[in-house]
Amino acid sequence: MLPLLEKYPLLGEKLPYVSLGEFPTPVQKLDRFGDDVGVGQLFIKRDDLSGEVYGGNKVRKLEFVLGDALQNGAKEVVTFGCAGSNHALATAIYARQVGLRSISILRPQPNAGYVGRNLLMSHYSDAELHHVRNTWLAYVATFYQRVRHKIGTGHSPHIVPLGGSSALGTVGYVNAAFELKEQITAGELPEPCRIYVALGTMGTAVGLMLGLKAAHLKSEVVPIRVVSEQLASVRTLTELFQKTNYFLCSLDSSFPRFELSESRVDIRDGFLGQGYAHFTEDAMEAVSRMRASEGIKLEGTYTGKAMAALIRDADDQSLRDEVVLFWNTYNSSDFSGAIAGLDYQQLPRSFHRYFEEDVQPLDADA
Ligand SMILES: *Cc1c(COP(=O)(O)O)cnc(C)c1O
């Protein structure tokens, strides 16, 4: 039983939910890496182990979002992202697991090894893939595909929002904060002063911020922006916080109400580099230091940039006596076996460029 739903049984009755992952995810102390970068006590929350086939932060959100699709009698889901989207892949994998077909509408992005691998795995998971040039065309394609599928099956595909970060999906990370609280109470780690996490569609960071308050933890979330400011700003973050808080209160009036003033939200935005999925020197250095000292895999689009911020903050020794938690949002399950025999020529033609063109110079994991 999820700790949030145990604490608020009314939420348990009212929230749509389907179990997909393996929780709680472990907390682990990183002695070597902590020493190396200068953090007193550094811990990592292993959400990379949230699912056997595919882990990462999307699993917690999809347990609610796909639960909603099933409760609505959906047969298919449609979702969005960039070509290498971890979210689109997670949706494809878990939708199929619960008997839903999935459609992904994907936009271009800088090339990297993981893009092709994620596309092949989505294809392996029977997702119907469409590549569109821009956001506007994504709307058009979504409308068109929903009509086309409705004519074909009698049902409109259920919409899974970008990154799974609706108020409902964000509840997955409200629960994650309650899960962390149980691990603190059990003595697995002291209460962290800070929690570093990548900021994309914001469901992860916002869910944690709300959940930590509700669970009476004082840890401060440090969100590191890895997408454009249009997507993740102080204003949009505050809105998602209020929307999620309101949503939970509307289902269970005993859930507390919080004010999050915009002046208290501190988004770190010096680590994006040239843009979403453009790897930076700092991020790739963080990735290789982590791999060398702990054998844990980070990547250049999200977690490497978030870890680069943590390393920068530790540089002046100010974290020497602190307890810090890094929330690992990336997947660490190896699915290379599943895609080994697949030929990219089976994908729609517009995706072939990710297999035929060079990856960006800083992508070393080829
Ligand atoms: C999607 C994703 C994020 C961002 O999470 P949001 O909830 O969208 O802010 C961070 N890390 C990884 C690896 C992701 O795939």
Side-chain angles (χ1 to χ4, degrees), residues 39-99:
V39 176
Q41 296 188 67
L42 179 61
F43 292 84
I44 186 168
K45 179 70 167 155
R46 300 289 308 265
D47 272 12
D48 54 303
L49 301 174
S50 63
E52 199 179 325
V53 180
Y54 193 70
N57 67 337
K58 303 309 181 300
V59 182
R60 293 183 191 271
K61 307 182 197 183
L62 287 171
E63 291 195 324
F64 291 96
V65 171
L66 291 181
D68 187 39
L70 291 172
Q71 199 177 78
N72 280 298
K75 303 283 180 254
E76 300 178 304
V77 292
V78 57
T79 200
F80 324 94
C82 286
S85 167
N86 299 322
H87 162 72
L89 174 55
T91 302
I93 289 171
Y94 289 104
R96 186 178 64 163
Q97 186 174 307
V98 299

Side-chain angles (χ1 to χ4, degrees), residues 189-325:
L189 77 166
E191 180 170 345
C193 72
R194 294 191 194 170
I195 300 175
Y196 284 79
V197 65
L199 184 71
T201 59
M202 307 184 296
T204 307
V206 166
L208 287 175
M209 291 167 90
L210 177 55
L212 290 167
K213 282 179 191 276
H216 307 292
L217 291 170
K218 287 189 279 297
S219 314
E220 175 202 349
V221 175
V222 182
I224 297 97
R225 182 163 65 83
V226 302
V227 296
S228 75
E229 193 171 11
Q230 205 183 2
L231 205 60
S233 64
V234 170
R235 190 177 51 81
T236 57
L237 188 152
T238 312
E239 278 170 9
L240 182 59
F241 182 98
Q242 281 162 352
K243 225 171 67 178
T244 309
N245 196 178
Y246 180 81
F247 173 62
L248 288 172
C249 292
S250 73
L251 297 180
D252 183 345
S253 59
S254 73
F255 191 88
R257 200 64 192 270
F258 300 99
E259 288 300 327
L260 180 70
S261 82
E262 293 194 4
S263 63
R264 303 263 343 242
V265 178
D266 188 10
I267 294 175
R268 302 291 298 277
D269 49 14
F271 296 87
L272 174 64
Q274 279 183 59
Y276 174 76
H278 282 277
F279 296 1
T280 62
E281 302 270 0
D282 284 356
M284 298 328 279
E285 193 192 316
V287 170
S288 58
R289 285 174 79 173
M290 182 69 151
R291 189 184 307 207
S293 65
E294 303 285 351
I296 293 175
K297 244 178 106 173
L298 304 180
E299 42 67 62
T301 299
Y302 297 96
T303 47
K305 289 178 179 177
M307 187 56 94
L310 185 156
I311 293 173
R312 176 82 55 84
D313 288 356
D315 266 349
D316 66 0
Q317 303 300 313
S318 61
L319 299 177
R320 263 285 162 223
D321 300 315
E322 302 288 356
V323 179
V324 173
L325 179 66

Side-chain angles (χ1 to χ4, degrees), residues 69-135:
L70 291 172
Q71 199 177 78
N72 280 298
K75 303 283 180 254
E76 300 178 304
V77 292
V78 57
T79 200
F80 324 94
C82 286
S85 167
N86 299 322
H87 162 72
L89 174 55
T91 302
I93 289 171
Y94 289 104
R96 186 178 64 163
Q97 186 174 307
V98 299
L100 298 167
R101 291 192 56 86
S102 76
I103 306 156
S104 293
I105 312 278
L106 304 173
R107 281 173 293 115
Q109 71 160 89
N111 200 11
Y114 80 89
V115 180
R117 292 194 295 272
N118 281 7
L119 285 167
L120 287 176
M121 190 60 187
S122 279
H123 179 70
Y124 174 83
S125 308
D126 297 329
E128 179 184 308
L129 303 175
H130 301 279
H131 198 240
V132 293
R133 273 205 310 277
N134 56 44
T135 308

